[in-house]
Amino acid sequence: MKSLPKKNLSDVLKKEVDRIDSVKTTKRNELVIEGFVHEKGRAPVALVHGKKHAVFNSNDYLGLRHHPQVKEAEHAASQKYGTGPGAVRFISGTMDIHRALEKELASFHGKEDAMIFSSSFAVNLAVLHCFIKGQSKDSLVESNTLVISDALNHRSIIDGIRVAGLSKEHKAIFKHLDLDDLRRVLDENKGKFSRVLVVTDGVFSMLGEYQDLKKMQSVCDEFADDYEEGVLTFVDDAHGVAGFGKTGRGTEEHCSAKVDILIATMGKGFGADGGYVAGDKVYIDYLRESAATYIYSNPISPGTAGAALSSVKIMGSSEGKALLDQLNNNIVYFKEAMKNNGFTFAADSEHGIQPILIGDPVKTRELVDELFSEGIIVTNISYPVVPKGKDEIRVQISAAHTHIDLEECIEKFKVCGKKVGVI
Ligand SMILES: Cc1ncc(COP(=O)(O)O)c(C=O)c1O
């Protein structure tokens, strides 16, 4: 029997769940995938309720999560080191495969060092905190920091800034992708702070747009001497790395830019799991001493590290380049065919994220449901995630999609789109 106070709390929580259900923003009724079927000439298809479904909403932009070499590397590492890390890194959880992966990631990005975490959400929570504030009362890292964040940054960045507990005047937002607005903020705050962190996503996941990092760097450079400890660029390129840029180095590469602190995930284009930060050695040394979600939380398992290491090596090889070329060909083909069928895009994305503008929440839902019943999985994105009237279906293209997969998806969009009345 529950005590009355606990029952009261349960009632409050139940009401909140009911409220979420009533505004139809529920997230807990997730699609359950029972396995994947591998058929010749097709990307792996997901089994849902025993029925095959083509996956057009995964971040596995290069198909690496089903790559035989990556799976073998995961298996081999589990055999060698066991399935779990055993402890946090500084107790007994650091294995040479963790170190090897960090070295490979640093070299892949042309940075001095890199450091892996259990997720890139965990990276943002800790790393922002560490660069904004010292981690203990004895820390030598003072905190007269201004954080300037793009208006549409990912939730993990927003929470990272929140966790640092800055007062209002230490936080600013620049208009989404508006680097003249960033310049305005930097100009207005000259002389007020010793350090500035300019924080942004590389590729933004709702529309597949990207921050012009070259321009961002040059705006920051204009103010290099106005802040005693400089203006640091801090970029989370979770969707960019291993999916964008000529050789998959992400938005930095696409824009021919170099950022100070690069954050990314191994759970999207690399087809594995976990997050990392890459930058100057002194930054990484400091973070190994201070980042709470690194020090007090397990690293990724050795098997996952083995898989990720294998993926990074593939990315650095001619096979990685061929996968990227395939991805880009697939993107161009899909966009062209969808436009020819009368669909419009919410943005002209060059990335695997392809946002199809529907503009009405009911029709968007209906079309996603129709496509699902036809064996195609795509994502419905509606208000409040996007503004009212900008409801979209997010399609995510992968190098693993074959011509047959793309043709089938495009044809089903056409048939279902007509049925729902959006084309
Ligand atoms: C920009 C960005 N940062 C961080 C994350 C979180 O990645 P992870 O799953 O590695 O925590 C995501 C994933 O949605 C993302 O899009």
mmCIF file of all heavy atoms in Angstrom, residues 119-121 154 156 201 236 238-239 265 268 274, ligand 1:
data_model
loop_
_atom_site.group_PDB
_atom_site.id
_atom_site.type_symbol
_atom_site.label_atom_id
_atom_site.label_comp_id
_atom_site.label_asym_id
_atom_site.label_seq_id
_atom_site.Cartn_x
_atom_site.Cartn_y
_atom_site.Cartn_z
ATOM 1 N N SER A 119 28.473 9.433 -23.999
ATOM 2 C CA SER A 119 27.585 9.988 -25.033
ATOM 3 C C SER A 119 28.010 11.427 -25.301
ATOM 4 O O SER A 119 28.728 12.019 -24.482
ATOM 5 C CB SER A 119 26.118 9.972 -24.566
ATOM 6 O OG SER A 119 25.931 10.970 -23.582
ATOM 7 N N SER A 120 27.539 11.988 -26.395
ATOM 8 C CA SER A 120 27.923 13.389 -26.612
ATOM 9 C C SER A 120 27.042 14.315 -25.770
ATOM 10 O O SER A 120 27.419 15.453 -25.503
ATOM 11 C CB SER A 120 27.929 13.760 -28.089
ATOM 12 O OG SER A 120 26.659 13.738 -28.633
ATOM 13 N N PHE A 121 25.898 13.830 -25.326
ATOM 14 C CA PHE A 121 25.112 14.618 -24.357
ATOM 15 C C PHE A 121 25.970 14.809 -23.099
ATOM 16 O O PHE A 121 26.089 15.915 -22.552
ATOM 17 C CB PHE A 121 23.802 13.880 -24.017
ATOM 18 C CG PHE A 121 22.698 14.796 -23.577
ATOM 19 C CD1 PHE A 121 21.549 14.954 -24.329
ATOM 20 C CD2 PHE A 121 22.806 15.519 -22.396
ATOM 21 C CE1 PHE A 121 20.525 15.810 -23.931
ATOM 22 C CE2 PHE A 121 21.789 16.370 -21.977
ATOM 23 C CZ PHE A 121 20.649 16.520 -22.750
ATOM 24 N N HIS A 154 21.168 22.382 -29.943
ATOM 25 C CA HIS A 154 20.639 21.110 -29.421
ATOM 26 C C HIS A 154 20.434 21.170 -27.905
ATOM 27 O O HIS A 154 21.129 21.890 -27.184
ATOM 28 C CB HIS A 154 21.633 19.985 -29.753
ATOM 29 C CG HIS A 154 21.137 18.618 -29.433
ATOM 30 N ND1 HIS A 154 21.521 17.939 -28.305
ATOM 31 C CD2 HIS A 154 20.275 17.809 -30.091
ATOM 32 C CE1 HIS A 154 20.935 16.747 -28.295
ATOM 33 N NE2 HIS A 154 20.170 16.649 -29.363
ATOM 34 N N SER A 156 21.294 19.268 -25.573
ATOM 35 C CA SER A 156 22.454 18.959 -24.721
ATOM 36 C C SER A 156 23.318 20.201 -24.494
ATOM 37 O O SER A 156 23.951 20.343 -23.442
ATOM 38 C CB SER A 156 23.294 17.833 -25.335
ATOM 39 O OG SER A 156 23.664 18.151 -26.653
ATOM 40 N N ASP A 201 25.692 24.159 -32.858
ATOM 41 C CA ASP A 201 25.688 22.893 -33.592
ATOM 42 C C ASP A 201 26.470 23.130 -34.892
ATOM 43 O O ASP A 201 26.516 24.261 -35.385
ATOM 44 C CB ASP A 201 24.255 22.512 -34.014
ATOM 45 C CG ASP A 201 23.377 22.010 -32.871
ATOM 46 O OD1 ASP A 201 23.671 22.318 -31.707
ATOM 47 O OD2 ASP A 201 22.391 21.315 -33.163
ATOM 48 N N ASP A 236 29.382 21.545 -31.725
ATOM 49 C CA ASP A 236 28.871 20.175 -31.607
ATOM 50 C C ASP A 236 28.426 19.736 -33.000
ATOM 51 O O ASP A 236 27.400 20.187 -33.509
ATOM 52 C CB ASP A 236 27.692 20.168 -30.624
ATOM 53 C CG ASP A 236 27.044 18.786 -30.530
ATOM 54 O OD1 ASP A 236 27.365 17.906 -31.349
ATOM 55 O OD2 ASP A 236 26.199 18.608 -29.639
ATOM 56 N N ALA A 238 27.513 16.655 -34.125
ATOM 57 C CA ALA A 238 27.030 15.275 -34.003
ATOM 58 C C ALA A 238 26.525 14.724 -35.345
ATOM 59 O O ALA A 238 26.788 13.573 -35.685
ATOM 60 C CB ALA A 238 25.925 15.204 -32.953
ATOM 61 N N HIS A 239 25.799 15.558 -36.088
ATOM 62 C CA HIS A 239 25.254 15.071 -37.365
ATOM 63 C C HIS A 239 26.208 15.284 -38.534
ATOM 64 O O HIS A 239 25.984 14.755 -39.615
ATOM 65 C CB HIS A 239 23.922 15.770 -37.682
ATOM 66 C CG HIS A 239 22.792 15.267 -36.852
ATOM 67 N ND1 HIS A 239 22.048 14.161 -37.192
ATOM 68 C CD2 HIS A 239 22.309 15.700 -35.669
ATOM 69 C CE1 HIS A 239 21.137 13.931 -36.265
ATOM 70 N NE2 HIS A 239 21.276 14.857 -35.324
ATOM 71 N N THR A 265 29.618 12.753 -31.895
ATOM 72 C CA THR A 265 29.149 11.479 -31.355
ATOM 73 C C THR A 265 29.681 10.338 -32.221
ATOM 74 O O THR A 265 29.963 10.537 -33.406
ATOM 75 C CB THR A 265 27.603 11.440 -31.317
ATOM 76 O OG1 THR A 265 27.185 10.198 -30.770
ATOM 77 C CG2 THR A 265 26.984 11.600 -32.691
ATOM 78 N N LYS A 268 26.160 8.160 -34.414
ATOM 79 C CA LYS A 268 25.390 8.483 -35.629
ATOM 80 C C LYS A 268 26.181 7.946 -36.832
ATOM 81 O O LYS A 268 26.166 6.746 -37.083
ATOM 82 C CB LYS A 268 25.121 9.985 -35.688
ATOM 83 C CG LYS A 268 24.308 10.491 -34.480
ATOM 84 C CD LYS A 268 23.811 11.907 -34.660
ATOM 85 C CE LYS A 268 23.308 12.550 -33.376
ATOM 86 N NZ LYS A 268 22.094 11.952 -32.807
ATOM 87 N N GLY A 274 28.581 6.515 -28.079
ATOM 88 C CA GLY A 274 29.498 7.316 -27.268
ATOM 89 C C GLY A 274 29.785 8.655 -27.919
ATOM 90 O O GLY A 274 29.495 8.866 -29.101
HETATM 91 C C1 LIG B 1 23.778 18.188 -31.942
HETATM 92 C C2 LIG B 1 23.639 16.976 -31.071
HETATM 93 N N1 LIG B 1 24.386 16.876 -29.969
HETATM 94 C C3 LIG B 1 24.301 15.803 -29.167
HETATM 95 C C4 LIG B 1 23.444 14.767 -29.444
HETATM 96 C C5 LIG B 1 23.388 13.591 -28.514
HETATM 97 O O1 LIG B 1 24.200 12.560 -29.000
HETATM 98 P P1 LIG B 1 24.473 11.266 -28.108
HETATM 99 O O2 LIG B 1 23.436 10.286 -28.504
HETATM 100 O O3 LIG B 1 25.874 10.832 -28.433
HETATM 101 O O4 LIG B 1 24.344 11.696 -26.697
HETATM 102 C C6 LIG B 1 22.655 14.823 -30.592
HETATM 103 C C7 LIG B 1 21.721 13.720 -30.911
HETATM 104 O O5 LIG B 1 20.552 13.872 -31.028
HETATM 105 C C8 LIG B 1 22.749 15.955 -31.426
HETATM 106 O O6 LIG B 1 22.005 16.050 -32.527
#
